[in-house]
Amino acid sequence: MVDYLKHGWKPERGRPSGDVTATVATMLSDIEVNGLAAIRRYSQDLDGWNPDSFLVTEQQKQAAADTVDVDLLQEIDFARAQVENFARLQLATMSDLEQETLPGVVLGHRHIPVSAVGSYSPGGRYPLIASSVMTVAVPKVAGVRTVVAAAPPRDNGGIHPPQLYAMASSGADVILCLGGVQALAALAFGIEGLDGMDMIVGAGNAYVAEAKRQLFGTVGIDLLAGPSEIAVIADETADAHLVAADLLGQAEHGPTSPVLLITTDEAFGRRVIGAVEEWLTMWPTAAVAGAAWREYGTVAVCIDADEVVEVSDRYAPEHLEIQTVDPDWFVSRLRNYGSLFIGAESTVAYSDKSIGTNHVLPTMQAARYTGGLWVGKFLKTVTYQRLTAEGTKHVAPSTAAIADAELMAGHALTARIRLER
């Protein structure tokens, strides 16, 4: 049995509240019918933002770049290079296929990039620069022809300048200064001469996530993301203060971000709890991180390593760190996580910002059935067939027989016509 020294993380399926669902449905319907006029109304009411055009000009992009410290520009460029490089490496593993499976029967598949992708980057409590890189640069590496990036205005002054630079330098073809549900609606339905996108990616608040859920089908989406999560598997060999810092580092995402420590050593678990409280006396975002820790923080003590794996896979955390004497033992057994951080030198912050892997990851137990955003998400794997008369002799009889049994006489006829020829 698991002994919880502290229990706050209750895995949920991510159903939105009725108020959020109704509000988003009303907004999307309004914007689909009334277009730009409705977008302007919501942008003014919610963000105090109603420019002549929501499209960012080249002059505005350059002005933003000119205001950013040169050292920061270089660090953003470094992060973009890592993201692009890893995406290219992933792309290289995806091969087209063509194979003769029977005499005269050739089957194959091709990976075809999505044509148009909308990239949304949050800009509320934190203007996520790295998110702009990861959701623009990766589809461009995949071969997406058109990427339209969007982020909300900040302090009535347009997009946060480093965030705008990240979008532009990552290859965004068009940039919208527009936030929230109205931004996703603009990406889905079109705005100011832009056609709607085929796919929308990126994180956001509960309203953004609900907009993606309701727009799915009209457009493709990457995944539905809830509050950011972290779990740390650690034993007595780990540094309690380092583990506590990593927990609080993710907790600063928001007051509802779940954080979880899983250990087999009760004394270590209590040391981490004490270390968290020590950190909170000086933590720079203690108001947010402390709230998340108090309400959603969990410390689980397991009987043995097998139970640690069982508990971790049940929670299926977005981010999972392993700080143990033998991390590879866990690596070979764990199945449900968004991204894995192996060893004390690996921390979620590296992946969140600049190491090259993508930080758009499954939350709310979605890691049970999907991974996160990667270059393959922007590729459609489509199949094809090529047959000769010899191939027809092999497959037409079974096709006709199965079609007859399904009472689909027309299908059977199309096979028999070819066989008789």
Side-chain angles (χ1 to χ4, degrees), residues 231-308:
V232 179
I233 294 172
D235 60 22
E236 66 280 2
T237 67
D239 182 332
H241 279 81
L242 188 65
V243 170
D246 283 357
L247 293 172
L248 290 177
Q250 280 304 111
E252 79 173 356
H253 271 281
T256 59
S257 284
V259 297
L260 168 65
L261 168 65
I262 313 173
T263 184
T264 55
D265 188 286
E266 179 178 344
F268 178 78
R270 296 192 183 280
R271 288 201 301 275
V272 171
I273 291 173
V276 168
E277 297 303 329
E278 289 180 34
W279 275 121
L280 284 174
T281 64
M282 63 187 82
W283 199 256
T285 51
V288 174
W293 168 252
R294 286 188 296 273
E295 296 298 323
Y296 294 88
T298 297
V299 177
V301 180
C302 297
I303 295 173
D304 55 25
D306 288 322
E307 189 173 59
V308 168

Side-chain angles (χ1 to χ4, degrees), residues 362-383:
T363 61
M364 300 178 297
Q365 295 184 303
R368 293 173 299 119
Y369 56 82
T370 186
L373 192 62
W374 71 295
V375 72
K377 286 278 189 179
F378 301 103
L379 301 173
K380 302 173 293 182
T381 303
V382 295
T383 59

Side-chain angles (χ1 to χ4, degrees), residues 121-132 151-155 158-164 166-167 353 359:
S121 295
R125 179 182 288 113
Y126 307 115
L128 297 186
I129 298 166
S131 190
S132 300
R154 190 170 180 83
D155 302 325
I159 297 172
H160 186 53
Q163 191 176 34
L164 180 52
M167 291 174 170
K353 307 306 175 188
H359 74 194

Side-chain angles (χ1 to χ4, degrees), residues 4 30 35 38 69 141 145 178 221 269 273 355 368-369 385 390 394 412 415:
Y4 287 97
D30 187 6
D69 181 82
V141 170
R145 285 201 303 265
L178 195 59
I221 63 172
I273 291 173
I355 202 170
R368 293 173 299 119
Y369 56 82
Q385 309 86 40
E390 183 181 10
H394 286 285

Side-chain angles (χ1 to χ4, degrees), residues 134 341 344-357:
M134 294 174 186
F341 304 82
E345 291 301 322
S346 293
T347 180
V348 172
Y350 291 162
S351 175
D352 268 359
K353 307 306 175 188
S354 68
I355 202 170
T357 51

